[in-house]
Amino acid sequence: MKRNIITLAALLLTLSMSAQFRINMGADSPLRKLQIAEMAISNLYVDSVDETKLVEDAIRGMLKELDPHSSYATPKEVKSLNEPLQGNFDGIGVQFNMVEDTLLVIQTVVNGPSEKVGILSGDRIVTVNDTAIAGVKMPKEDIMKRLRGPRGTKVKLGIVRRSVPDMLYFIVTRDKIPVKSITASYMIRPSIGFIRIDNFGATTHQELIEAMNNLKGQGMKDLILDLQDNGGGYLQAAVQIANEFLQKSDLIVYTEGLRQNRIDYYAEGTGRMLTGKVVVLVNELTASAAEIVSGALQDHDRGWVVGRRTFGKGLVQRPIDLPDGSMIRLTIAHYYTPSGRCIQKPYKKGDLKEYEMDFENRLKHGELMNPDSIHFDDSQKFQTLRQHRTVYGGGGIMPDAFVPLDTLQYTRFHRQLAAKSIVTDHSLRYIDNNRNTLKKTYPSFQEFNSKYQVPQSLIDSILAAAEKQNVKAKDEDEMKRTLPYLRLQLKALIARDLWDMTEYFQVMNEENHIVQKGLEVIQN
């Protein structure tokens, strides 16, 4: 207990000595009051207390009264948050899913540790270092812990493979496994490339360069940049990506806060796609760094934005590392687009619930279905920098071409099937049973895409499983509206597991209304 108090006192002293924070440790300072309260509870309270939790709760309580994006993360949460953005983690290099309480390998990472020792798609990992992980109801998080580990360490995997009667054992040496930000890249039409970015991480810019070079080699002149559902990431990655499209000295974004001077970020004019048409696809889940890119291309009249108004996350967080590996992410400034629009949507300090209800409120007010339901304040009217078109601030990026949410395409019944994992589970079982036959019948994705039809037996098995779980279409009309999109989704899932995410999106995009509108815009 005494050591903990000394540690806290040392931390407070470090902060008080920092010119950056300029903390007043006088007798009347709020920080002094907090210190006395913590020391009193730790030393005088009638029962034992968890000091770590006490301090964490105090930090969370303070941050809760600020904006919706200032937050505290434990050391474990910090690691989990950073992995998708850092571009790699240490592991065995497999994509997997759980089928009937068993880990099924969907794909191995190319040139990854598992592929090198001979593990194949369709293999079932049933033991890790001689400990059973199949049929024992082990949580997925615990399985992940056993499979992951520091680079260079070894793990023994027991594997069941179809057509092989005995258990197979492999010694896998863990290594760095890449985490990709770009999940799809292909020629969607002659001369038109399609690239989908899921987040903005440390490797995103390099991935984009490689994808664009590859597509240019296939004749790409124009590009559809898909940022739907992209929750953002690193500011620097957004600046690098916007730079690929903008002219030298074009302002990309600037940040400014009460205690933070304005910082401008400019294009260097070194981009690989300074000419050619660009369409950016967005929706209500496009946020933060993705909004920076969308706003920059729109303000400079470099790209046409298609979809629905973006999320409106325009607050800059500074990570403040704490001694135990935990972190405070504190909002210090706002993001502004080149025309001066603030990306951040309005919020009330301390009212996280209302902020989180924004999507439901947009749906209730009809904004997701009809652009006329969106009412902009005239004080938030801005002009684009080249063509002087009117654009609006006040929260998020409003697209140039609006695409309504189609609530008829994705029915209530389909949403329930997805929520219960019925669609995913049955598609995995189907692929597991038919993988070799499918590969022989369709040696290329092009053949699969043009000829494959989802069998009625797979649909019937899904409907039967749904009925067992009391999931039913409310009437015949809902069933009829559900089946076409269900078949499309199943075909896409099968393509993903036989090939990769690019093939998944090649199937799905032909019925994605925002993608199809983007094609219409870029072709016209």
Side-chain angles (χ1 to χ4, degrees):
M1 181 72 74
K2 185 177 180 181
R3 186 179 66 183
N4 287 340
I5 294 171
I6 293 171
T7 301
L8 177 62
L11 171 61
L12 294 173
L13 180 62
T14 301
L15 292 177
S16 69
M17 292 172 65
S18 169
Q20 178 186 0
F21 291 100
R22 297 194 184 98
I23 291 176
N24 174 17
M25 288 291 286
D28 296 331
S29 78
L31 185 60
R32 179 64 178 160
K33 185 189 295 186
L34 182 65
Q35 182 187 31
I36 292 170
E38 195 279 337
M39 293 177 68
I41 293 169
S42 300
N43 290 278
L44 302 176
Y45 185 61
V46 63
D47 293 320
S48 61
V49 293
D50 182 337
E51 272 194 90
T52 299
K53 187 175 184 303
L54 201 66
V55 172
E56 286 181 350
D57 287 346
I59 294 171
R60 291 185 200 275
M62 287 188 287
L63 295 176
K64 184 181 176 183
E65 297 305 312
L66 304 179
D67 64 278
H69 296 289
S70 290
S71 61
Y72 170 81
T74 65
K76 182 179 176 181
E77 290 168 342
V78 169
K79 185 179 179 183
S80 178
L81 288 168
N82 284 341
E83 274 181 356
L85 298 179
Q86 288 174 340
N88 60 67
F89 63 90
D90 294 343
I92 64 169
V94 297
Q95 295 178 29
F96 70 89
N97 234 314
M98 301 303 295
V99 179
E100 296 176 345
D101 201 22
T102 302
L103 189 154
L104 175 67
V105 176
I106 303 301
Q107 288 179 346
T108 55
V109 173
V110 177
N111 294 322
S114 292
E115 185 189 68
K116 287 177 180 177
V117 299
I119 293 173
L120 303 174
S121 298
D123 284 351
R124 287 170 164 77
I125 301 176
V126 296
T127 66
V128 178
N129 290 331
D130 297 321
T131 299
I133 64 169
V136 293
K137 304 290 184 185
M138 184 178 289
K140 191 174 179 178
E141 293 75 18
D142 290 349
I143 294 174
M144 295 283 285
K145 284 180 188 175
R146 293 172 186 273
L147 294 175
R148 291 188 178 184
R151 182 181 184 180
T153 59
K154 297 182 184 298
V155 59
K156 179 183 177 184
L157 304 180
I159 283 178
V160 172
R161 180 175 294 170
R162 282 183 177 275
S163 75
V164 178
D166 300 322
M167 178 96 77
L168 301 174
Y169 291 96
F170 296 89
I171 303 296
V172 180
T173 302
R174 297 182 179 98
D175 204 344
K176 289 288 181 189
I177 308 301
V179 178
K180 297 293 186 182
S181 300
I182 292 180
T183 49
S185 170
Y186 69 99
M187 294 298 292
I188 192 167
R189 294 292 186 272
S191 80
I192 303 174
F194 175 93
I195 296 176
R196 180 183 174 92
I197 304 178
D198 271 7
N199 61 55
F200 288 86
T203 64
T204 307
H205 182 230
Q206 184 58 40
E207 291 177 47
L208 181 68
I209 291 171
E210 292 169 4
M212 288 198 300
N213 288 343
N214 180 269
L215 295 181
K216 282 188 173 184
Q218 299 177 52
M220 179 182 75
K221 295 179 181 177
D222 306 320
L223 174 65
I224 294 177
L225 185 65
D226 188 356
L227 301 182
Q228 293 179 84
D229 305 324
N230 184 317
Y234 294 149
L235 167 63
Q236 192 56 40
V239 170
Q240 290 172 328
I241 286 163
N243 178 71
E244 292 298 321
F245 305 96
L246 297 175
Q247 301 295 324
K248 183 176 175 61
S249 300
D250 281 351
L251 179 63
I252 294 172
V253 65
Y254 67 90
T255 64
E256 193 171 23
L258 179 64
R259 295 177 178 85
Q260 299 293 319
N261 294 330
R262 173 170 167 161
I263 302 175
D264 294 338
Y265 297 84
Y266 292 97
E268 297 174 353
T270 56
R272 289 155 184 80
M273 198 154 181
L274 301 182
T275 60
K277 290 179 280 188
V278 180
V279 162
V280 184
L281 308 182
V282 300
N283 64 8
E284 55 281 350
L285 296 178
T286 302
S288 189
E291 293 176 289
I292 290 173
V293 173
S294 306
L297 269 61
Q298 186 181 55
D299 277 6
H300 286 289
D301 297 293
R302 177 65 188 93
W304 202 259
V305 179
V306 174
R308 292 184 288 277
R309 182 163 68 94
T310 61
F311 183 85
K313 196 272 186 186
L315 298 176
V316 184
Q317 278 78 50
R318 173 180 290 177
I320 299 170
D321 296 320
L322 300 178
D324 63 349
S326 60
M327 177 193 290
I328 292 173
R329 287 175 54 82
L330 186 67
T331 296
I332 61 168
H334 288 89
Y335 289 126
Y336 294 87
T337 72
S339 67
R341 291 182 287 167
C342 181
I343 292 173
Q344 179 60 42
K345 62 188 175 186
Y347 62 88
K348 293 179 182 177
K349 287 182 180 178
D351 193 349
L352 184 59
K353 184 177 180 181
E354 179 64 24
Y355 191 78
E356 291 176 339
M357 289 292 290
D358 183 64
F359 177 80
E360 286 79 3
N361 291 335
R362 290 193 196 189
L363 191 62
K364 189 191 303 179
H365 298 150
E367 176 189 324
L368 300 181
M369 278 74 76
N370 190 336
D372 293 337
S373 300
I374 306 169
H375 301 291
F376 292 106
D377 187 335
D378 282 343
S379 67
Q380 295 295 325
K381 191 182 290 187
F382 295 80
Q383 300 290 313
T384 61
L385 302 178
R386 284 180 169 80
Q387 297 177 11
H388 307 294
R389 297 180 296 116
T390 297
V391 288
Y392 287 90
I397 304 299
M398 185 65 188
D400 302 298
F402 179 83
V403 181
L405 179 68
D406 188 348
T407 54
L408 296 178
Q409 184 186 39
Y410 193 47
T411 64
R412 177 201 58 85
F413 179 45
H414 197 161
R415 289 196 296 273
Q416 289 183 322
L417 290 174
K420 297 278 187 179
S421 298
I422 296 170
V423 178
T424 305
D425 288 348
H426 281 261
S427 71
L428 286 169
R429 290 177 194 172
Y430 170 78
I431 295 160
D432 189 37
N433 292 328
N434 298 278
R435 185 182 301 274
N436 292 336
T437 303
L438 288 166
K439 280 285 192 182
K440 287 177 183 176
T441 308
Y442 308 104
S444 71
F445 170 71
Q446 288 69 27
E447 281 191 79
F448 173 87
N449 200 27
S450 62
K451 297 177 182 177
Y452 178 77
Q453 298 290 326
V454 174
Q456 185 60 41
S457 58
L458 178 54
I459 299 294
D460 291 341
S461 69
I462 288 172
L463 297 180
E467 191 163 348
K468 283 182 181 177
Q469 297 190 43
N470 202 30
V471 175
K472 299 177 182 178
K474 63 181 180 182
D475 53 35
E476 191 63 28
D477 178 62
E478 186 178 39
M479 178 66 79
K480 285 180 180 178
R481 287 190 287 111
T482 299
L483 291 179
Y485 196 69
L486 176 60
R487 289 181 187 278
L488 180 79
Q489 184 187 19
L490 287 166
K491 182 176 179 178
L493 289 170
I494 294 164
R496 178 198 68 182
D497 292 350
L498 293 177
W499 288 279
D500 210 336
M501 286 301 293
T502 285
E503 287 73 20
Y504 171 87
F505 283 107
Q506 279 187 257
V507 175
M508 292 300 293
N509 282 348
E510 293 307 308
E511 295 297 328
N512 183 304
H513 295 169
I514 292 180
V515 173
Q516 293 304 306
K517 183 65 176 179
L519 271 171
E520 179 188 322
V521 167
I522 210 166
Q523 288 171 329
N524 293 331

